[in-house]
Structures are given as structure tokens and as C-alpha cells.
Amino acid sequence: MQVHFGEWRLDPAARQLFRGDEAVHVSPKAFELLSLLVERRPRALSKAELHGAIWPATFVSDASLAQLVSEIRAAIGDDAHEPKYLRTVHGFGYAFAGDATDVRAGHPEPPASRITYWLRIDNRDIPLREGENVLGRDPAATVRLESLRISRYHARIVLNDEEALLEDLGSKNGTYLRDQRIAEPVRLQHGDQIRVGPFSLVFHVNRPGATTETEVRQDGSSG
């Protein structure tokens, strides 16, 4: 089920926000917040309820929530002083206040020639975009990971049509690939396990026309 509001389209299954047919990047946590507010509309959700849903068993300040709201507003062009979509309920929390329509639709299929990449963490898939994808605590990180053992800019994955490279960004606790701490950029293979702080992430790549078995063979992981 997709949700249309104004010129925007929210696809929770694909974990993507679109303006028309153009994908709009927001961080994973910002996407979770927007999806939750849209799903529960028009009910106002308290800050405690939002914290519990977005950062379960993790303490973060109200400033982190406010940063996500600001990120969403910037992405959809919403004015905090005259909000069209995200309403601040002062002293309580936030609500989605705009008109929205649920539309049943299938997953948008990527172009046949396009290679897609994603990370899987805790049975959740996080899509990666071409170019730089930062992993860290910073609110603007592509893959935001909340832990004191994670640096603000911990590591990055750089993608193009030819390869995917994992690089540590001088983090204190290091970045591990296949249980080995990396000291320089390393090429990623389908199914690789990446460990940063307390988090374990699995790297996935889909090449059109290739099965998972083919991917593994190309990566040299099996005969």
C-alpha cells in the first residue's frame, strides 16, 4: 500500500519516498518517522511513543527527534511555521496533518539494466544509492546507527556499476569485514557480513538476470 500526499508518494514496502517518479533521499530513521506519522494520521503521537518506535531500547535526546522532523520537512518542502504536512503538537509530539490517499500498488520495479544494492540489519533492508553511503551516528548518515560505540562518520560504502567499496573513516572502534578489521578500502561481495560496533549488517547486490547463486560464483565465494 502506497500513500500519496500532494506531489509526494510514500512506499513503505520499498522504503522510498518519491516526488512524482523521482526518488527523494531521506535517512532511514527519518523515513521510519514519516511512515509512522502517515500510518497513524491524523492522530498526534507523543515524543515518548515516537522514541519507543524509532529507537527501541536506546536512549536518545528529544533533539534527535527534532532533527528527523527537520530533515523530513526539508525533503518535502514543509514550512515549520506554516506546516502543510507535519504538525508540531507543542509540549506533546507530532502529527501528520495533510490530506493523504492510500493507493494499493505493487513494488516499483527497477529498470532492467540497473544494479541494486542494499544492507540487511535485523531483518530490515536498507537501500543504498550510487555514490557515497555513510554509516554512522550523524543524522544525515545514509545508514544511521545509534550507539556510543559508533562514530558520527564511522564508515562508508561507495557504489558504482563496477564495484562496491567499504572504507573505514578513521573510527575509534573500527570497521570489520568477514571478521577482519579493515585498514584500507575493500571490495564488497554479495553476502558479505560487515560489523560496526554492536551492529552486524549483510551486504546484498542484485544484478539483473543473475540469480543469487550466480552472484556468489562471481564473487568467488563458491566453486
Side-chain angles (χ1 to χ4, degrees):
M1 185 73 71
Q2 299 180 3
V3 182
H4 292 219
F5 55 97
E7 58 188 321
W8 309 95
R9 174 165 57 92
L10 185 72
D11 188 339
R15 293 186 61 84
Q16 284 189 289
L17 175 67
F18 296 89
R19 183 179 185 180
D21 293 326
E22 181 181 355
V24 177
H25 174 70
V26 292
S27 68
K29 291 297 185 185
F31 185 89
E32 290 177 20
L33 174 59
L34 178 59
S35 297
L36 184 59
L37 291 173
V38 168
E39 178 187 348
R40 306 287 176 84
R41 68 186 190 278
R43 185 165 73 88
L45 303 183
S46 69
K47 292 180 181 179
E49 188 174 359
L50 293 170
H51 276 283
I54 299 172
W55 295 285
T58 303
F59 174 79
V60 296
S61 68
D62 285 347
S64 296
L65 184 60
Q67 287 175 336
L68 294 186
V69 171
S70 295
E71 180 186 345
I72 294 170
R73 283 178 171 151
I76 63 176
D78 204 31
D79 188 340
H81 300 290
E82 297 182 7
K84 184 178 180 181
Y85 298 114
L86 292 191
R87 177 170 64 92
T88 300
V89 184
H90 295 287
F92 181 76
Y94 299 92
F96 186 86
D99 293 329
T101 304
D102 293 332
V103 177
R104 188 172 298 279
H107 250 202
E109 293 294 331
S113 61
R114 181 183 171 193
I115 301 174
T116 54
Y117 303 90
W118 68 97
L119 291 175
R120 179 164 295 169
I121 177 172
D122 295 333
N123 295 317
R124 183 165 57 92
D125 291 339
I126 302 174
L128 302 173
R129 62 179 184 266
E130 186 174 353
E132 182 180 79
N133 297 265
V134 173
L135 289 67
R137 282 192 296 112
D138 189 83
T142 308
V143 183
R144 190 178 182 194
L145 302 169
E146 284 288 341
S147 170
L148 293 178
R149 292 168 58 190
I150 300 292
S151 301
R152 285 175 61 86
Y153 304 97
H154 196 102
R156 69 176 180 175
I157 296 174
V158 180
L159 303 174
N160 59 47
D161 287 340
E162 300 299 325
E163 62 182 2
L165 295 176
L166 174 67
E167 180 182 3
D168 184 76
L169 296 177
S171 65
K172 179 180 179 181
N173 293 313
T175 300
Y176 293 79
L177 176 64
R178 308 178 205 121
D179 292 325
Q180 298 293 321
R181 184 166 182 167
I182 64 173
E184 58 185 22
V186 180
R187 186 172 183 177
L188 285 170
Q189 302 173 0
H190 176 77
D192 271 344
Q193 185 177 62
I194 302 166
R195 182 160 53 86
V196 288
F199 301 99
S200 179
L201 309 94
V202 180
F203 176 76
H204 290 268
V205 55
N206 177 53
R207 294 183 175 88
T211 64
T212 301
E213 182 180 3
T214 303
E215 291 286 359
V216 171
R217 284 185 180 140
Q218 288 176 343
D219 291 334
S221 300
S222 71

